[in-house]
Amino acid sequence: MYSDKAFAILNSSINSAVFIDDKAKDFYSGTPIDTGVVEEKLSGALFKTFKENGKSLLVHKFQKEQITDNSLINYLFTGKDLILLDWELNDNDGQQYSLELLAKSIEAPYINFCCIYSRAANFDKIPLYLTAYFSGLQKDEIENIKNTYAHVTIEEIAEFQRNPSNSIDSFFEDNQIVLDEFPIERFRDKSKNIVLDLINISLDYEKYFFKKKIILTTK
C-alpha cells in the first residue's frame, strides 16, 4: 500500500528529532512524570517510542524568553531530521513563538520534516496562520486587499469553505474576484484557494502574525 511505503520512507529518513512544548517533561528535573499533564505523558511516550526504534529524541520544555537565544535554538535544531512543535508555545497566545521557531527550522538546511500538533479548538485555522506569516504581505498591501474586497465577508468565505463540493470558480465570479486583477501583482499566478485565503486573512488581519521579507511560494 502507498501509506505503508510512505511510512517506511519517512521512518528511514528520521533518525533524530526534537520535541518542543512549553509543558513538556523536563527529564533533568529529577521528578516523575505528572500523569495529569497530557504533554508530560506525551513526552515520555514519544521518548520511549523513539528509543525502542533506535532513534534519538530530545525533549525540550520551551520558555518564551528562549525565542531570541540563537545558541539554544541552534543546539535544538542541529543534527535533527524532525521537529515536533506545539502550536501554542505560551498557552493560548503562543502562536507567534511557534511560527518564529517554525521559520527558523525552515531556514535550517538539514531539517527535513516539521510536525505541528495542537489540542486547540481552532486547529483548522492553523493553515491560515501559516499562510499569513509566510506571505510576506506588508501593511499597505493588506489594506489594499481589504479595501478591494470589502464587499466580501469572512462569514461568506467560511460558509463557502464548509462545503467542499462548492465551486471556487463560481464563488469568484459571484464576488467579482479576478485573478489577473488581484491588487498584489506577485500573487496573480497563485491558485484561487491561496488568493481566497489571502482575502480572508486581510479582512481580519489583526488576529494574524506576519513575517516580513518572505514571499509565499505555494501554488
Side-chain angles (χ1 to χ4, degrees):
M1 293 178 62
Y2 172 79
S3 58
D4 294 335
K5 184 64 175 179
F7 178 79
I9 294 173
L10 184 62
N11 187 50
S12 65
S13 301
I14 297 173
N15 293 300
S16 181
V18 57
F19 172 73
I20 304 175
D21 193 308
D22 61 320
K23 297 184 180 68
K25 172 60 183 172
D26 182 358
F27 290 116
Y28 296 101
S29 66
T31 59
I33 291 176
D34 184 347
T35 57
V37 179
V38 174
E39 291 81 2
E40 289 202 12
K41 290 174 62 178
L42 179 60
S43 302
L46 284 171
F47 186 83
K48 180 181 179 182
T49 299
F50 271 73
K51 184 177 181 180
E52 290 175 346
N53 286 274
K55 301 179 187 298
S56 170
L57 176 68
L58 173 63
V59 176
H60 179 71
K61 187 171 184 176
F62 176 82
Q63 299 175 19
K64 63 181 182 180
E65 296 80 9
Q66 297 170 342
I67 197 67
T68 57
D69 189 340
N70 290 328
S71 295
L72 173 62
I73 292 172
N74 286 336
Y75 164 72
L76 294 176
F77 287 175
T78 298
K80 303 301 188 299
D81 304 306
L82 168 68
I83 295 174
L84 298 167
L85 181 63
D86 178 26
W87 174 239
E88 296 173 328
L89 282 176
N90 189 43
D91 291 325
N92 294 330
D93 62 345
Q95 297 97 332
Q96 184 173 7
Y97 301 116
S98 302
L99 287 165
E100 288 186 36
L101 279 183
L102 178 60
K104 291 177 185 295
S105 73
I106 291 173
E107 293 168 0
Y110 35 77
I111 295 174
N112 297 313
F113 307 99
C114 182
C115 176
I116 294 174
Y117 66 94
S118 174
R119 292 190 295 149
N122 64 343
F123 185 82
D124 61 323
K125 300 299 182 184
I126 291 178
L128 280 178
Y129 279 89
L130 295 175
T131 298
Y133 192 74
F134 291 103
S135 66
L137 285 173
Q138 306 297 307
K139 185 172 177 56
D140 60 329
E141 294 176 328
I142 293 170
E143 291 288 352
N144 194 351
I145 297 172
K146 181 179 180 180
N147 293 334
T148 301
Y149 302 105
H151 59 282
V152 183
T153 68
I154 296 172
E155 291 74 22
E156 288 172 334
I157 296 175
E159 178 64 27
F160 161 75
Q161 293 178 329
R162 270 194 286 270
N163 189 344
S165 66
N166 285 338
S167 168
I168 194 167
D169 292 331
S170 296
F171 185 87
F172 269 50
E173 183 177 350
D174 293 343
N175 290 279
Q176 299 86 50
I177 304 172
V178 181
L179 281 182
D180 291 343
E181 297 175 3
F182 192 69
I184 313 304
E185 185 176 353
R186 68 175 182 275
F187 293 112
R188 291 176 183 173
D189 64 341
K190 307 303 178 186
S191 71
K192 289 184 177 180
N193 287 310
I194 288 292
V195 168
L196 185 58
D197 282 345
L198 293 173
I199 295 172
N200 196 357
I201 290 164
S202 298
L203 291 173
D204 196 22
Y205 70 91
E206 292 182 351
K207 69 186 290 184
Y208 297 101
F209 306 97
F210 298 88
K211 179 177 174 61
K212 307 305 180 184
K213 300 180 181 179
I214 296 293
I215 305 301
L216 189 70
T217 57
T218 303
K219 291 189 176 183

